[in-house]
Amino acid sequence: MREAVTLSDVAREAGVSPSTVSRVINGTARVDASKRDAVLKAIERLNYQPNIMAQGLAQGRSLTVGVITQEISSPYYGEMLRGVEQALEATPYHPIFASGHWRADQEEAALKVLVGRRVDALVVMDSSVPEERLLELVKKMPVVVIGRQIEGLSCLSIDNAQGAYEGTRHLIELGHRRIAHIAGPHSHPDAIERLEGYRAALQDADVPFDPALVVEGDYLEPSGVLAVESLLARGALFTAIFAANDQMAYGANVALYRRGIRVPHDVSLVGFDDLLSSSYFSPPLTSVRQPSQEMGWEAARWVLAMLEGKSYTPRPLSTRLIVRESTTLLRSPSSRLRLQMF
Amino acid sequence: MREAVTLSDVAREAGVSPSTVSRVINGTARVDASKRDAVLKAIERLNYQPNIMAQGLAQGRSLTVGVITQEISSPYYGEMLRGVEQALEATPYHPIFASGHWRADQEEAALKVLVGRRVDALVVMDSSVPEERLLELVKKMPVVVIGRQIEGLSCLSIDNAQGAYEGTRHLIELGHRRIAHIAGPHSHPDAIERLEGYRAALQDADVPFDPALVVEGDYLEPSGVLAVESLLARGALFTAIFAANDQMAYGANVALYRRGIRVPHDVSLVGFDDLLSSSYFSPPLTSVRQPSQEMGWEAARWVLAMLEGKSYTPRPLSTRLIVRESTTLLRSPSSRLRLQMF
DNA sequence: TTGTACGCGTTATCAC
DNA sequence: GTGATAACGCGTACAA
């Protein structure tokens, strides 16, 4: 384990003082061209790299942006993280991730880790961290929250109700009236909003809301499977499903497949998020696109701006229905009858 | 932006010297029970959190493990990163990721970032970083390389040829003889190995190798689409496809779907990796399972052991064929004929 | 057992 | 312009 080259080594090598080296590196003050050159050459020769921890100690900043995510391997959060990474790429900042796994205690633990590491700013994704905690944090550093709207905080979110409304309306326009909904966990505000959008679309089309057609999932694939099985077990009649996210739609699709129910021939299926993989699903999934990567990007740009004391107005982020091949016109009334056979 | 609480603050609050506080925190030496108590109470009261950067400067370590990945939002790397995260969870270390995007220059840049941040150890995933560079790094810190075998380095990899062999043999056992292969980029050693496994399986079954049935992709979904289109365009006859990874299999599946070719009825499909989403694919994908999460986990445990000066023998990691519903017995010779109609 | 003094590598504040 | 000198917050010899 070799010794690391320090700034002093460079100074000695270049025959100048450490301060001068620091000035050359940071452009803090004018330096004579010849000395400047000598320093740069010495840096090159010694392959010097500043010690970020020492810089941080001296300047009181870590050049690090903390990101609270729920699950790093999730395709949904993956896209957001990619957006953050991209936004930070050309800056001296680097992201550091910590996962909450959808559990309040783990989120708090993750928060502690990041604060302990003296992150300069925070991006909080879909957290269930208490408002007061966030309001406390924002006194210490720039914070941007994704997926919630909290008074006094910089928030970034989409109109979940509107997205769900459009997804459901699409099915209604195709002639479907018995539309099941696989909801997200009721503990998540966005899940509630999507459920409301679903109900609003039904109401506007004079389709009666049937509680028996709604099942709660947890945003993961297996819960989509369970949801469909539970719907079928209770004898629910439906010709379409609107899932609160793509992953549950994937699960639903498999459950239908196992029963020999074809998508979209027998049942139309709409998801939410439009994950990258959804266009390669078979059939390619109709979904309400959520600009996840852009959201991560905007959040990162926002905290960067705050760090520089600049103001920033994030671009408006909106959902958009992407129609693919998992939805189709309701076929004759026989569809409903056929479902009774399953 | 509030002032942070320092160790000295705690010392003052508890009426002891800073060194005593340090000792209590790190358990470096015995401390009188009463003082110890006072310190702990003061820490609690002030909500003190040690400054990691200062600790790092003083001790010459950052409590950070650097991870070179190719693409953070990739489902494949996501699983590995999750494994790393998990392994580090109960330790004082935290991972920090940097992406190479499959480009040598960006990998080198990522490496620079991590070294600049003084990571204590390095996990390098599927890199194309030159051997010499890695051998140079290993002099400075513990390094574990995933997906390559390099003399003098701690490496972790699976038997790609064996996995590919089994995937291909499975198809052969189902009666297929005209098996197309969507290969990974020839610049990747694992892609070459998988191609060789495919060829070996054919050879062992006396099935002639037909270069016209092999197309090179880049491990991403779109290349799977292109591969199938190119096969069909050149009039290739095949009843099964072995893709070098799941993502390309997804792409292939969509391309087939668009042509009205059904999986597995008309064409059987085998992937490689067995991503989490593959069991929710429709049809659920037969795939050669690669224990990605375990690989990340083992790599992290390994560098941790090295940091502690302990020796470590990683569990053997092997591939396993997971048979699902995208493969089926070759139906009558008509399959081949039918393909001619596409 | 406890406190003092110094060093970790850098930046910032002074003089010069 | 440039170079000493003192921080930054912590760990750790060393002395007591």
Side-chain angles (χ1 to χ4, degrees):
Chain A
M1 315 274 162
R2 232 169 46 199
E3 295 296 321
V5 181
T6 75
L7 183 144
S8 305
D9 296 334
V10 175
R12 199 174 315 114
E13 175 83 7
V16 299
S17 78
S19 340
T20 301
V21 177
S22 176
R23 285 192 261 264
V24 170
I25 293 175
N26 303 304
T28 318
R30 311 182 64 101
V31 174
D32 187 85
S34 69
K35 303 209 172 189
R36 173 192 195 72
D37 233 51
V39 169
L40 291 175
K41 286 216 175 93
I43 288 180
E44 181 72 20
R45 201 157 40 231
L46 270 48
N47 191 24
Y48 166 73
Q49 276 197 292
N51 183 325
I52 287 239
M53 294 188 297
Q55 287 185 326
L57 230 211
Q59 302 189 151
R61 51 169 189 50
S62 60
L63 291 178
T64 296
V65 173
V67 181
I68 297 278
T69 174
Q70 295 307 315
E71 176 70 45
I72 197 172
S73 58
S74 139
Y76 172 65
Y77 290 106
E79 289 184 39
M80 282 197 187
L81 299 182
R82 173 86 185 91
V84 171
E85 190 190 38
Q86 223 164 32
L88 261 37
E89 219 148 64
T91 77
Y93 290 86
H94 199 84
I96 171 168
F97 308 122
S99 307
H101 304 297
W102 296 281
R103 285 180 40 182
D105 58 334
Q106 296 212 32
E107 278 191 335
E108 177 54 30
L111 221 41
K112 269 220 166 60
V113 167
L114 296 183
V115 172
R117 292 199 165 250
R118 297 295 192 273
V119 296
D120 296 327
L122 219 42
V123 172
V124 181
M125 299 177 171
D126 297 328
S127 81
S128 54
V129 172
E131 274 195 37
E132 314 81 57
R133 182 76 166 108
L134 292 173
L135 290 168
E136 182 191 320
L137 282 165
V138 79
K139 290 178 195 158
K140 303 210 281 188
M141 63 182 89
V143 177
V144 167
V145 178
I146 293 182
R148 282 168 79 181
Q149 285 298 338
I150 301 171
E151 192 66 33
L153 250 55
S154 304
C155 298
L156 215 50
S157 68
I158 54 157
D159 191 335
N160 287 290
Q162 177 63 21
Y165 185 94
E166 285 170 14
T168 309
R169 194 183 55 192
H170 168 63
L171 290 168
I172 293 172
E173 285 171 355
L174 289 172
H176 297 276
R177 289 178 65 82
R178 296 206 53 85
I179 303 170
H181 178 50
I182 307 180
H186 292 352
S187 57
H188 278 49
D190 51 12
I192 300 296
E193 290 167 28
R194 290 175 195 182
L195 173 58
E196 279 166 5
Y198 159 78
R199 294 191 63 161
L202 294 182
Q203 184 161 10
D204 285 1
D206 288 325
V207 176
F209 170 72
D210 181 355
L213 287 181
V214 176
V215 192
E216 180 179 349
D218 66 0
Y219 277 154
L220 298 180
E221 288 88 346
S223 73
V225 175
L226 290 176
V228 164
E229 282 173 356
S230 122
L231 283 169
L232 294 175
R234 73 171 74 145
L237 297 183
F238 56 91
T239 64
I241 298 177
F242 169 54
N245 78 347
D246 282 5
Q247 289 176 265
M248 294 195 295
Y250 295 173
N253 187 56
V254 168
L256 294 170
Y257 177 84
R258 296 220 179 294
R259 296 291 195 118
I261 306 175
R262 288 162 299 170
V263 175
H265 185 272
D266 301 319
V267 166
S268 284
L269 182 60
V270 172
F272 200 115
D273 285 349
D274 190 32
L275 299 179
L276 289 173
S277 51
S278 290
S279 47
Y280 294 98
F281 202 66
S282 71
L285 190 66
T286 294
S287 185
V288 180
R289 156 165 275 274
Q290 175 169 198
S292 310
Q293 188 168 331
E294 287 88 330
M295 291 179 79
W297 198 86
E298 288 292 335
R301 300 303 299 184
W302 202 349
V303 295
L304 282 178
M306 294 168 93
L307 283 168
E308 294 172 1
K310 294 182 189 163
S311 78
Y312 187 79
T313 309
R315 288 180 306 177
L317 296 165
S318 53
T319 59
R320 190 159 56 94
L321 180 71
I322 307 291
V323 179
R324 297 208 183 83
E325 297 159 51
S326 67
T327 48
T328 192
L329 276 171
L330 177 66
R331 305 162 192 282
S332 65
S334 71
S335 295
R336 278 179 65 177
L337 297 177
R338 188 188 299 112
L339 275 173
Q340 294 182 345
M341 299 164 32
F342 295 140
Chain B
M1 314 279 163
R2 232 168 49 196
E3 294 296 320
V5 181
T6 75
L7 184 144
S8 305
D9 297 333
V10 175
R12 201 174 314 115
E13 175 83 7
V16 299
S17 78
S19 24
T20 300
V21 177
S22 174
R23 286 191 260 264
V24 171
I25 293 175
N26 303 306
T28 318
R30 310 182 67 97
V31 174
D32 187 83
S34 68
K35 302 209 175 194
R36 172 192 196 70
D37 233 50
V39 169
L40 291 176
K41 286 215 175 93
I43 288 181
E44 181 73 20
R45 202 157 39 232
L46 269 48
N47 191 24
Y48 167 72
Q49 277 198 295
N51 183 325
I52 288 238
M53 293 187 299
Q55 286 185 326
L57 230 210
Q59 300 188 151
R61 53 171 187 48
S62 61
L63 291 178
T64 297
V65 173
V67 181
I68 296 279
T69 175
Q70 295 307 315
E71 176 70 47
I72 198 172
S73 58
S74 139
Y76 171 67
Y77 292 106
E79 289 184 39
M80 281 197 186
L81 299 182
R82 173 88 185 89
V84 171
E85 189 191 37
Q86 223 164 34
L88 262 35
E89 219 148 63
T91 78
Y93 290 86
H94 199 85
I96 171 168
F97 308 122
S99 308
H101 305 297
W102 296 282
R103 285 180 41 183
D105 57 335
Q106 296 212 32
E107 278 191 335
E108 178 53 32
L111 221 42
K112 271 222 165 62
V113 167
L114 296 183
V115 171
R117 293 201 163 246
R118 296 298 191 272
V119 295
D120 295 327
L122 219 41
V123 172
V124 181
M125 299 177 170
D126 298 327
S127 81
S128 53
V129 173
E131 274 195 38
E132 313 81 56
R133 181 77 166 108
L134 292 173
L135 290 168
E136 181 192 319
L137 282 166
V138 81
K139 290 179 195 157
K140 303 210 281 188
M141 65 182 90
V143 176
V144 167
V145 178
I146 294 182
R148 283 167 79 179
Q149 286 298 338
I150 301 171
E151 193 66 34
L153 250 53
S154 304
C155 297
L156 214 51
S157 68
I158 53 159
D159 191 334
N160 287 289
Q162 177 63 21
Y165 184 94
E166 286 170 14
T168 308
R169 193 183 54 191
H170 168 62
L171 290 168
I172 293 172
E173 285 171 354
L174 289 172
H176 297 275
R177 289 178 63 83
R178 297 207 51 85
I179 303 170
H181 178 49
I182 307 179
H186 292 353
S187 57
H188 278 49
D190 50 11
I192 300 297
E193 289 167 30
R194 292 175 195 181
L195 173 59
E196 278 166 5
Y198 159 79
R199 294 191 63 161
L202 293 182
Q203 183 160 11
D204 285 1
D206 289 325
V207 176
F209 170 72
D210 181 355
L213 287 179
V214 176
V215 192
E216 180 180 350
D218 65 1
Y219 277 153
L220 299 180
E221 287 88 346
S223 73
V225 175
L226 291 177
V228 165
E229 283 172 356
S230 121
L231 282 169
L232 294 175
R234 71 171 75 144
L237 297 183
F238 56 92
T239 65
I241 299 176
F242 169 55
N245 78 347
D246 283 7
Q247 289 174 266
M248 294 195 295
Y250 295 173
N253 187 55
V254 168
L256 294 169
Y257 177 85
R258 295 221 181 291
R259 296 290 195 120
I261 307 176
R262 288 162 301 170
V263 175
H265 185 273
D266 302 318
V267 166
S268 284
L269 182 60
V270 171
F272 200 114
D273 285 349
D274 191 31
L275 299 180
L276 289 173
S277 51
S278 290
S279 47
Y280 294 98
F281 202 66
S282 71
L285 190 67
T286 293
S287 186
V288 180
R289 157 165 273 275
Q290 174 169 199
S292 310
Q293 188 168 332
E294 287 88 331
M295 291 177 80
W297 198 88
E298 288 293 336
R301 301 300 302 181
W302 202 350
V303 295
L304 282 178
M306 294 167 93
L307 283 168
E308 295 172 0
K310 293 181 189 165
S311 78
Y312 186 82
T313 310
R315 290 180 304 178
L317 297 164
S318 54
T319 59
R320 190 159 57 94
L321 180 70
I322 307 291
V323 178
R324 297 208 183 85
E325 298 159 49
S326 66
T327 47
T328 192
L329 277 171
L330 177 66
R331 304 160 193 282
S332 66
S334 73
S335 294
R336 276 180 65 182
L337 297 177
R338 189 189 298 110
L339 275 172
Q340 295 183 345
M341 298 163 35
F342 295 140

